[in-house]
Amino acid sequence: MAFIGNWLGNAPDFAVPYALAALGLILTERSGVLSLGAEGLMLVGALAGVAAQLSFGNSGVALLLAMLAASLVSVLFATMVVLLRVNQVIAGLALVFFCQGLTALLGTLCGWTNRPVAGLDAIALGPLSTLPVLGHALFTQNVVVYALPFFFFGVVWFLRRSMTGMRLRAVGENPQAADAAGIGVVRYRFLAVLAGAALVGLAGAYIAVLSTKLWIAGMTGGRGWIAVGLVIFARWSPWRALAGAVLFGCVEALIPQLAAAGIQLPQYFVLMTPYAVTLAVMIWVALARGGNDGEPGALGQPYIREERG
């Protein structure tokens, strides 16, 4: 029981970054912009979060500045794919390599590498936190874990209920028809990239500021790529993405628990496990339900406005 309690209690630390990054990607890709730069934006958020925490000593400020930093960097990506209509796959990959080099350089030059930060303490919700097995997992977590469902409720309401969200989805499904209806395709896509990047940056900041509580170059360890696969697994549905993030978080949290229990696993098996699970889930989705089901109709397609007579 103690093993299961510790495993489930640590799972949110692994699941939250996947959930936030996937939610940000869904928000961006619902506008028709294919976003493959999550790994790089998470690194930007992680570095900015640690830098802000070291400078201001306030975790709330650190998380907000991390979101802002990721949005600012995403302006470069948005300019390339929305305004200049650069190939979205190439631009996304270039963004990852650019952010990897930029964060490693700044982290070294500014002396932010391997400097511990305070982060946020877990909040115990009274007697509920003492419940066996689930007490730690559900009722002894930091404020971001508690706020996560509200992020998802907010994005789901925005996309399905608000006029702005429905226009955003129209842009992603058929930009020509949306433009004919008077919707600014370029504006909606540009802002969707920035908003999605803010959530991805928050995912990176969570890893650095609240989970590991320090900055190391390349510390996201491929989680951004797993988030890309998670979006496909979820078929661009926020709630399915949350369920998938919990699944991946539980798988990743199990590895250190097995090591703590004395079960020795090969190092490279441990490293490949999250990616093996990602491949298995994507294959299952492709065979069971169709890999493109739920994909925005104009995803990855640049929009070129035709001249009107």
Side-chain angles (χ1 to χ4, degrees):
M1 294 296 289
F3 176 88
I4 296 175
N6 290 332
W7 169 43
L8 296 179
N10 292 325
D13 262 355
F14 295 93
V16 168
Y18 291 133
L20 289 172
L23 188 63
L25 292 176
I26 289 172
L27 186 58
T28 296
E29 295 187 358
R30 277 296 177 187
S31 72
V33 176
L34 178 63
S35 182
L36 298 180
E39 182 76 7
L41 294 174
M42 288 177 74
L43 286 171
V44 171
L47 178 65
V50 168
Q53 178 76 30
L54 291 171
S55 301
F56 302 105
N58 186 299
S59 297
V61 172
L63 296 178
L64 290 175
L65 290 180
M67 297 174 70
L68 178 61
S71 288
L72 289 176
V73 172
S74 72
V75 170
L76 175 62
F77 175 71
T79 300
M80 288 191 296
V81 300
V82 179
L83 299 182
L84 302 180
R85 297 189 289 275
V86 174
N87 182 281
Q88 295 178 14
V89 174
I90 295 175
L93 296 177
L95 180 68
V96 172
F97 297 131
F98 169 74
C99 292
Q100 286 175 336
L102 177 66
T103 53
L105 175 64
L106 291 178
T108 301
L109 292 178
C110 298
W112 294 325
T113 304
N114 289 324
R115 292 184 61 183
V117 296
L120 286 174
D121 294 329
I123 301 173
L125 298 182
L128 294 174
S129 63
T130 63
L131 292 174
V133 182
L134 295 179
H136 178 39
L138 299 179
F139 306 112
T140 311
Q141 299 292 339
N142 62 61
V143 66
V144 178
V145 176
Y146 294 136
L148 186 65
F150 296 99
F151 280 105
F152 276 80
F153 273 116
V155 171
V156 169
W157 178 87
F158 170 75
L159 290 175
R160 297 181 181 177
R161 301 294 182 183
S162 73
M163 184 60 66
T164 302
M166 287 188 281
R167 288 173 177 169
L168 177 70
R169 292 172 60 192
V171 166
E173 290 295 335
N174 192 328
Q176 288 78 15
D179 187 25
I183 300 173
V185 174
V186 171
R187 181 175 72 256
Y188 272 82
R189 285 190 167 186
F190 202 98
L191 293 177
V193 170
L194 270 60
L199 289 173
V200 177
L202 179 60
Y206 185 95
I207 296 172
V209 178
L210 304 183
S211 184
T212 61
K213 299 185 179 180
L214 53 80
W215 159 258
I216 302 173
M219 67 181 303
T220 52
R223 289 179 177 87
W225 297 115
I226 294 177
V228 172
L230 181 56
V231 171
I232 299 173
F233 158 69
R235 306 201 312 267
W236 288 267
S237 167
W239 293 122
R240 292 194 188 103
L242 180 58
V246 172
L247 169 65
F248 282 95
C250 287
V251 170
E252 196 168 345
L254 182 61
I255 297 171
Q257 292 302 313
L258 292 175
I263 301 175
Q264 298 299 321
L265 296 173
Q267 176 186 2
Y268 294 107
F269 175 81
V270 171
L271 292 175
M272 80 171 198
T273 300
Y275 304 101
V277 173
T278 304
L279 290 173
V281 167
M282 292 178 66
I283 291 172
W284 174 78
V285 170
L287 294 176
R289 301 181 181 179
N292 293 325
D293 187 22
E295 177 182 320
L299 183 63
Q301 301 175 12
Y303 175 64
I304 303 175
R305 188 175 189 183
E306 298 180 356
E307 295 292 337
R308 296 177 179 177

